[in-house]
Amino acid sequence: AQSVSQHNHHVILSEAASLELGCNYSYGGTVNLFWYVQYPGQHLQLLLKYFSGDPLVKGIKGFEAEFIKSKFSFNLRKPSVQWSDTAEYFCAVGSGNTGKLIFGQGTTLQVKP
Amino acid sequence: NAGVTQTPKFQVLKTGQSMTLQCAQDMNHEYMSWYRQDPGMGLRLIHYSVGAGITDQGEVPNGYNVSRSTTEDFPLRLLSAAPSQTSVYFCASSYRPGAAIDEQYFGPGTRLTVT
């Protein structure tokens, strides 16, 4: 069965620190990859997505992610976090064959001012 | 466009009661889905639909029923509520180009408590 694993459940950083959140998935076929963010009290919104082409994708608010097919990974990065990045981050994998979107468990990021 | 709308926002049920969570989208999206969000477990897919008249089970379908009679609406029915169904429920929709899944648009959620 498809699964998505996010290694860090809770991350605490100071402002200006660099961020990397891990995401690994298990599925051998063609996949579409996403990172979503949920700010406190709000619903999920898309940060970035990868369908094909350049494996380094850039999203909103300075976030980027790199798809490494050989490692089944799609890690999220940001060079310098801000207090406003405090949120929960979800990695998700969409399978063209099954038509389903599966989410990871989420990573709570707390940025200290 | 209103996007994805959900009603109600909050609901308290007693064990054994049934109810329907409503979800509607006005973007003519083919794909719609229901998730539940629980602390430490992320979002888990309950049911999904790739078009009117077509539904399928997700990761946690037990205790829930869906139907998709129109493109716009995708209600989720709780047949006999249990405390384990206390959760926040999100409906989402997306355009589905070919066999791929595009960005999902989420509704504001329904916070359900079963006592």
Side-chain angles (χ1 to χ4, degrees), chain B residues 29-111:
Chain B
H29 284 167
E30 293 182 60
Y31 183 91
M32 295 186 75
S33 53
W34 277 101
Y35 296 90
R36 57 178 290 172
Q37 184 179 26
D38 302 292
M41 305 192 75
L43 278 84
R44 291 181 291 169
L45 183 64
I46 304 172
H47 285 285
Y48 67 102
S49 167
V50 299
I54 307 169
T55 64
D56 206 346
Q57 296 182 350
E59 303 168 86
V60 288
N62 292 342
Y64 306 95
N65 215 345
V66 292
S67 59
R68 183 101 179 266
S69 54
T70 67
T71 301
E72 295 77 21
D73 301 297
F74 191 45
L76 178 73
R77 279 180 284 278
L78 278 70
L79 309 171
S80 176
S84 60
Q85 293 178 304
T86 293
S87 186
V88 181
Y89 291 84
F90 287 101
C91 178
S93 75
S94 70
Y95 175 58
R96 189 168 179 261
I101 295 295
D102 204 350
E103 171 190 355
Q104 296 222 340
Y105 293 81
F106 283 82
T110 294
R111 188 174 292 274

Side-chain angles (χ1 to χ4, degrees), chain A residues 2 9 32 34 36 38 42-46 49 51 88 90 94-106, chain B residues 31 35 37 40-45 48 50 57-59 90 96-97 99-109:
Chain A
Q2 287 174 278
H9 298 297
N32 302 329
F34 306 84
Y36 283 84
Q38 186 177 30
Q42 297 187 26
H43 53 91
L44 277 81
Q45 53 188 284
L46 183 71
K49 62 185 179 184
F51 279 19
E88 192 158 15
F90 295 94
S95 160
N97 289 344
T98 66
K100 294 191 294 189
L101 188 67
I102 302 296
F103 282 81
Q105 307 93 317
Chain B
Y31 183 91
Y35 296 90
Q37 184 179 26
M41 305 192 75
L43 278 84
R44 291 181 291 169
L45 183 64
Y48 67 102
V50 299
Q57 296 182 350
E59 303 168 86
F90 287 101
R96 189 168 179 261
I101 295 295
D102 204 350
E103 171 190 355
Q104 296 222 340
Y105 293 81
F106 283 82

Side-chain angles (χ1 to χ4, degrees), chain A residues 9-65:
Chain A
H9 298 297
H10 199 136
V11 173
I12 302 173
L13 294 173
S14 297
E15 273 193 316
S18 64
L19 170 72
E20 180 159 2
L21 302 182
C23 173
N24 285 89
Y25 65 93
S26 65
Y27 183 69
T30 302
V31 293
N32 302 329
L33 299 160
F34 306 84
W35 276 97
Y36 283 84
V37 61
Q38 186 177 30
Y39 297 104
Q42 297 187 26
H43 53 91
L44 277 81
Q45 53 188 284
L46 183 71
L47 265 184
L48 48 79
K49 62 185 179 184
Y50 171 79
F51 279 19
S52 63
D54 188 345
L56 184 63
V57 293
K58 295 191 184 300
I60 60 171
K61 303 187 180 185
F63 286 91
E64 65 179 32

